Amino acid sequence: MSENRFAHAMLAPAGVWLLLLFAVPLGILLAVSLGETDPAYQAVYGFHPENFRDVFDPLFAPVLLRSVGYALATVVLCLLIGYPIAYYIARFGGRWKTLLIALVVLPFLVNYLVRTYAWVAILSDEGLINGILTDTGISENGVQFVNTSWAVIGGLVYGYLAFMILPLYAALDRMDPALIEAGKDLYGTRWQTFRHVTWPTAFQGVAAGCVLVFLPAVGDFISAQLLGGPDTYMVGNLIQQQFLEAQNWPFGAALTIVMMAFLLIWMLLYVRSAAGAAREADA
Amino acid sequence: MSGISRRELLERGAAGGLVLSGLGGLAGCGIGRGLQGDTDRVIEPKVDGDLYYFNYSQYINPALVRAFEEKYDVRVIQSYFDSMEGMIAKLRAGNSYDVMFPTAEYVQRLVQEEQLLRIPRDKLENIDNIYSYFDDPWYDPDSAHSVPYSLYITGIGYRADILDNMTGSWNDLANPEADGRIFVLDDYQEALAAGNLRNGYDMNTVVESELAATQDWLVGLKPLLRGFSVDTITNMASGNAWIQHLWNGDIVNIRYRVDDPDAYQFQKITQDGFPVGSDTFVIPVNAEHPGTAMLFIDFMLDPKNAARNVTWNGYPMPNRGQDETFEELAKGDPNIVVTVDDLEGGEQFANLPQEERELWTNTFLEVKAS
């Protein structure tokens, strides 16, 4: 077997995996999205493109906008919180680097749902934090943390922060520290050095982190369900509601397809930017 | 229905990449058809394998499950659903369970769809303890496919230590003294039922103008609400809820969790009327171990076990064996008791046909999405 053919053969397991567990389910999803429900609430195949028209019913506009808004806020907060952490670990972590990165990943060993529930217990009106606030007299009646928009965004930030830190760390860690020294040698201030050297050099990490946080955050339903209030309904909740409560699989599938298409645009933008950066690096 | 099962579809799709190209040919085929099997299969109450159990979580005393495992030397493999719709979705996906716990109206639906085995009542030793109301209930003639498990009413849980202006109406969900500390159940049936009863309509109304008025009422509540949630016990025990739309048994569980149980009261909505319902034991038609399931049902009907169960979960069972225990449990709060009179006089959820049901789910969706 030539080396080339061997290399192709190596792709087979991944190819079969992708076909069986991604392409086929996606095809079924697409087929269901064009179906309808029969009188026994069973989804049946058919050709009903109007399911897709219903997705753009003005009723759902606030839900879709809210989801994107929450996800963007999550990305910004993750970047603001994650960048300094990644920078510190990459530049000053020294022999503790591996340990520090392990600590970032550690919460992921606990299920996201369970971690979110923990926040409910910690932040509730008679929970730990409010107990401290009222006992110390900092706040007389405590603060309502949970069941607010901020709680939902906070849950999303907490849930997906590591997706920001890891690619940022990888990018910053690869960066040659001599570049920063060179910036300073050329009389750049700290801010100028950061703006003209560090930020552009590690920009691919920023882009990857933003995409990796944005994609799951926009479709999340757990944070809104557990930490949300009466006005925090997200598209993930809507899709879940269609599959379960409404038992309208075709519409739930249509919503999913539209959302995937929307997310794909972001994914493609990222891939283009990454490919451009790779070409620049080669040149 | 001459459908293609999901597995077949998957196999074909994998083999020929047919899924996308063959859409037209699939028109009219079912996706995840109902269970197939002989509903008249004869069941003997004897161990025929481990028990695959499917229920709401926290709805049965775990000590009883362990006792059952020890008595019959079987394992109970538990899975949970959080709504009837979720239960149906799992069944449709082809999962096989030996015993599960649908509500009365879902029993009616499952019987019509031939999804349940006939339960030979004469082979259950403890069946005579069941209230005679259930000899021939509205949802399952002659109780041929189901055994009643528990009774519940929906009402309002409230903090008696904080609020002193409760009125016994669904209007209490708009109590201004609890502004921002009110939760409505995240359940389209319960939420709309509260509004319909409050507005003086038939609880199961499908008149569009009436549902629109109920929708307006619910939307009008939103500024006062803290959320829509079925996590009633956590909401109240954590102090987030001063008023919580909930089921009677929840209040018993909340009291087990807090320092000052008397502060947590259940209000029966005597002024407008309230939903009342019952949950059941059933055996799905594709059950692999129906014999063990029969033993399990009989075990739960045993008076001593029924008493242990109601003490733990707070919901009365329609079983004479637990009467005294439940009365004792409800001493401080007679409102949580559910009687046969409640069942006969109360409002029970109807099985709405698909279009009308869609009207209901969409109404509630519009409340939440607005």
Side-chain angles (χ1 to χ4, degrees):
Chain A
M1 198 187 283
S2 76
E3 199 174 312
N4 207 0
R5 277 181 58 190
F6 179 72
H8 286 309
M10 295 275 282
L11 276 179
V16 170
W17 171 276
L18 267 180
L19 183 72
L20 274 183
L21 298 177
F22 181 72
V24 171
L26 192 65
I28 293 173
L29 188 72
L30 193 61
V32 173
S33 74
L34 289 166
E36 61 177 337
T37 38
D38 74 3
Y41 320 100
Q42 298 249 45
V44 290
Y45 292 114
F47 187 70
H48 298 273
E50 64 270 20
N51 292 336
F52 285 88
R53 186 196 57 209
D54 294 345
V55 173
F56 298 97
D57 188 309
L59 169 67
F60 302 126
V63 179
L64 299 171
L65 287 175
R66 187 182 296 129
S67 305
V68 173
Y70 285 180
L72 286 177
T74 303
V75 167
V76 170
L77 285 170
C78 279
L79 188 60
L80 288 175
I81 298 167
Y83 205 103
I85 296 174
Y87 189 83
Y88 180 87
I89 298 175
R91 293 266 290 141
F92 308 111
R95 62 199 175 98
W96 301 107
K97 268 184 192 174
T98 315
L99 177 72
L100 289 170
I101 284 297
L103 287 177
V104 168
V105 178
L106 193 64
F108 275 72
L109 299 181
V110 179
N111 181 289
Y112 175 43
L113 185 73
V114 175
R115 285 186 285 139
T116 310
Y117 251 113
W119 281 117
V120 177
I122 294 167
L123 295 176
S124 62
D125 290 7
E126 291 172 12
L128 184 71
I129 303 282
N130 268 313
I132 294 170
L133 287 180
T134 46
D135 287 350
T136 54
I138 294 173
S139 164
E140 196 185 334
N141 294 316
V143 179
Q144 185 193 322
F145 295 109
V146 288
N147 310 115
T148 60
S149 294
W150 288 110
V152 177
I153 295 169
L156 293 172
V157 169
Y158 174 71
Y160 300 118
L161 182 60
F163 291 165
M164 181 66 86
I165 294 178
L166 292 178
L168 276 176
Y169 166 76
L172 289 165
D173 193 46
R174 263 201 314 266
M175 193 175 111
D176 186 349
L179 289 175
I180 295 175
E181 282 159 31
K184 286 181 181 155
D185 286 348
L186 294 169
Y187 300 104
T189 62
R190 279 164 183 240
W191 169 244
Q192 284 169 327
T193 310
F194 175 76
R195 223 188 103 199
H196 296 292
V197 179
T198 313
W199 178 264
T201 312
F203 183 74
Q204 280 313 307
V206 173
C210 289
V211 169
L212 285 178
V213 170
F214 184 78
L215 298 186
V218 83
D220 188 274
F221 66 94
I222 286 176
S223 188
Q225 187 162 329
L226 296 185
L227 298 168
D231 296 307
T232 56
Y233 207 64
M234 292 177 71
V235 66
N237 305 94
L238 178 61
I239 291 173
Q240 189 206 27
Q241 188 265 353
Q242 287 301 318
F243 274 98
L244 293 177
E245 185 171 279
Q247 285 179 46
N248 192 343
W249 287 20
F251 184 57
L255 276 164
T256 310
I257 297 271
V258 170
M259 203 174 84
M260 284 179 73
F262 169 71
L263 296 178
L264 199 65
I265 297 172
W266 294 84
M267 196 69 205
L268 289 175
L269 284 176
Y270 166 67
V271 169
R272 254 186 65 182
S273 137
R279 268 198 307 277
E280 248 170 59
D282 286 344
Chain B
M1 203 180 305
S2 67
I4 302 180
S5 80
R6 266 133 68 98
R7 176 172 298 159
E8 284 161 357
L9 186 66
L10 213 82
E11 282 164 0
R12 289 193 208 180
L18 140 158
V19 180
L20 289 172
S21 62
L23 280 183
L26 294 176
C29 293
I31 302 164
R33 61 185 165 184
L35 309 173
Q36 312 291 310
D38 175 13
T39 57
D40 292 328
R41 183 149 51 114
V42 177
I43 322 174
E44 290 300 331
K46 59 172 200 298
V47 172
D48 51 8
D50 290 340
L51 184 77
Y52 285 76
Y53 160 110
F54 194 32
N55 197 356
Y56 293 101
S57 70
Q58 304 283 304
Y59 200 34
I60 221 166
N61 187 340
L64 288 173
V65 174
R66 283 193 296 275
F68 177 77
E69 289 182 318
E70 275 166 32
K71 181 171 179 187
Y72 291 101
D73 193 25
V74 291
R75 285 200 312 143
V76 176
I77 295 108
Q78 306 195 38
S79 340
Y80 308 108
F81 49 77
D82 60 5
S83 66
M84 281 298 106
E85 293 76 19
M87 176 191 81
I88 294 286
K90 287 274 180 66
L91 273 189
R92 287 266 165 81
N95 290 297
S96 161
Y97 305 102
D98 300 318
V99 65
M100 60 179 205
F101 298 70
T103 62
E105 81 265 19
Y106 269 82
V107 173
Q108 186 183 44
R109 186 174 143 183
L110 290 166
V111 169
Q112 281 163 2
E113 293 172 4
E114 301 186 341
Q115 302 290 289
L116 302 179
L117 281 181
R118 276 181 174 278
I119 295 180
R121 289 166 71 82
D122 51 340
K123 291 178 185 164
L124 292 169
E125 283 175 25
N126 295 307
I127 197 75
D128 294 338
N129 292 323
I130 296 288
Y131 298 168
S132 56
Y133 172 86
F134 289 97
D135 289 349
D136 185 25
W138 62 274
Y139 54 86
D140 182 20
D142 297 329
S143 266
H145 307 82
S146 63
V147 174
Y149 171 61
S150 72
L151 304 173
Y152 56 85
I153 50 181
T154 319
I156 296 177
Y158 68 100
R159 288 284 292 267
D161 56 337
I162 300 170
L163 305 167
D164 57 5
N165 61 345
M166 299 293 282
T167 66
S169 154
W170 289 110
N171 280 323
D172 288 336
L173 290 175
N175 186 340
E177 286 190 22
D179 186 2
R181 311 253 188 177
I182 303 169
F183 284 89
V184 168
L185 279 171
D186 188 3
D187 178 305
Y188 77 99
Q189 282 185 311
E190 294 290 0
L192 294 195
N196 288 341
L197 291 168
R198 180 260 178 197
N199 288 338
Y201 308 143
D202 178 74
M203 186 176 86
N204 294 304
T205 184
V206 288
V207 178
E208 286 192 34
S209 61
E210 294 186 345
L211 283 173
T214 290
Q215 179 181 336
D216 288 345
W217 180 69
L218 285 167
V219 171
L221 281 184
K222 280 176 83 173
L224 291 162
L225 294 189
R226 178 113 175 208
F228 295 97
S229 168
V230 291
D231 212 354
T232 59
I233 296 168
T234 309
N235 292 339
M236 285 214 84
S238 67
N240 292 348
W242 290 354
I243 286 185
Q244 166 81 57
H245 184 199
L246 43 58
W247 294 283
N248 57 324
D250 295 355
I251 208 81
V252 177
N253 278 291
I254 290 162
R255 289 183 185 161
Y256 286 140
R257 293 250 219 123
V258 295
D259 298 333
D260 178 18
D262 290 341
Y264 298 77
Q265 295 287 325
F266 181 76
Q267 173 171 257
K268 210 167 178 172
I269 311 299
T270 46
Q271 203 175 310
D272 310 323
F274 49 85
V276 53
S278 53
D279 287 341
T280 64
F281 301 96
V282 300
I283 305 178
V285 72
N286 67 341
E288 285 171 20
H289 318 106
T292 312
M294 286 286 286
L295 291 175
F296 181 77
I297 294 169
D298 217 4
F299 180 84
M300 291 301 299
L301 296 183
D302 180 283
K304 272 202 243 57
N305 293 338
R308 274 178 83 187
N309 196 44
V310 297
T311 321
W312 187 85
N313 85 355
Y315 287 94
M317 292 172 81
N319 181 328
R320 278 184 286 275
Q322 55 87 63
D323 285 354
E324 269 179 44
T325 313
F326 200 84
E327 267 170 41
E328 184 70 23
L329 188 71
K331 233 179 197 166
D333 197 357
N335 285 332
I336 66 170
V337 176
V338 188
T339 63
V340 169
D341 286 346
D342 287 325
L343 279 178
E344 281 169 347
E347 306 270 355
Q348 307 208 22
F349 285 111
N351 257 322
L352 300 177
Q354 189 216 5
E355 243 172 66
E356 296 176 343
R357 188 169 173 282
E358 220 171 274
L359 190 63
W360 272 56
T361 56
N362 282 340
T363 303
F364 189 49
L365 178 61
E366 286 179 29
V367 170
K368 289 204 292 179
S370 70

